[in-house]
Amino acid sequence: MYDYLIVGAGLFGATVAHELLLRGKKCLVIDRRDHIAGNAYCKQMEGIPVHWYGAHIFHTSDEKIWKYVNQFSEFNNYINSPIAIYRDELYNLPFNMNTFSKMWGVRTPAQAKEIIAKQIADEGISEPKNLEEQALSLVGRDVYEKLIKGYTEKQWGRDCKELPAFIIRRLPLRFTYDNNYFNDRYQGIPVEGYTKLVERMLSGTQVRLGVDYGKEKKELDALADKVIYTGAIDEYFAYAQGVLQYRMVEFEHQVLDTDNYQGNAVVNYTEREVPYTRIIEHKHFVFGKQPKTVISREYPAEWSVGKEPYYPINNEQNQALYERYRCLAAKEEKVLFGGRLGEYKYYDMDKVIASALRMVESL
Ligand code: UDP
């Protein structure tokens, strides 16, 4: 009945479905949730698109991908400039001259560089063996203690000494007064939310929600010549080789009777003692003028089978296990695997779309 069964209506699945439709293929997209757009899903509350599974800020340096997503939605000119709160102190992110000036009372890049260089030298670390040593050797003690240690330990549920250095190898220090979190050429938020964007990508394709592929695999497989699977790769194989680990996030969404709660879309709480990592105030992603506001507190948590997975923990042990699953996946004649869960990869949205486009080219 169908050329392709696409399992998962997130960005990967929707991109593949759109491209295959353009090439005259007949696709069925299924998702076990009751909505499309995967973790980019936005729920309208008080007239505000609420990023239901955590903040999604689109950023890319790839002009082709930027043009691609702009076909489906107008994007605004939102620039992500998070604030970090540590006890009673407030700093700008990413680490830049505003941060350093607040922390040490300095004004010039030369003064900031001198302080950081001295703090790095004081640590005397030549070969960083873990995330803590890596961070200390890149930014020094003050920035590490106030802005990295607590946040990272909450986020990953492990002591920074037990986390691999690679998580934080890329820690940009910027010696200008520029609070733009991302270095990419293009950035913005779809003005009507991501659900609308994905809905347009899926326009013309049949979508069935609330359908669990694992439970009805045989019947569903029989409907199509090929399957594109974007769910968790280990789940596909019934965890036969072991369980891949994830960090998850629990959200506390709240409507507040104020028009402006925190003055910024993203406020990180970097001290260990505050149980959540950040508070998102969604209206600021779209410069909303509604009388009320919606905020979401993010509580990181350990994931277990049956819960919603968020962040793949791409350490050595999990990568080795993923490789075993990848070999099994390569032997599946009818099924192709893709996306964050199918490839077990901490993917940004632009990279997911690029990867989906490559898959379609390869077909
Ligand atoms: N991070 C940090 N302090 C912060 C924000 C981030 O130390 O205030 C570190 C932390 O280890 C985190 C990583 O940077 O896991 C990436 O965080 P980001 O918010 O950029 O990624 P997201 O969670 O939005 O994918």
Side-chain angles (χ1 to χ4, degrees), residues 43-62:
K43 185 173 178 149
Q44 293 290 328
M45 290 172 80
E46 307 295 333
I48 302 162
V50 173
H51 297 214
W52 201 245
Y53 302 94
H56 282 68
I57 300 147
F58 200 92
H59 56 96
T60 187
S61 290
D62 187 334

Side-chain angles (χ1 to χ4, degrees), residues 1-5 25-26 220-228 333-335:
M1 283 170 74
Y2 296 96
D3 296 307
Y4 291 92
L5 169 71
K25 302 292 180 194
K26 197 168 171 211
L220 290 163
D221 280 349
L223 297 178
D225 293 338
K226 273 195 179 289
V227 177
I228 293 172
E333 279 177 14
K334 196 175 155 161
V335 188

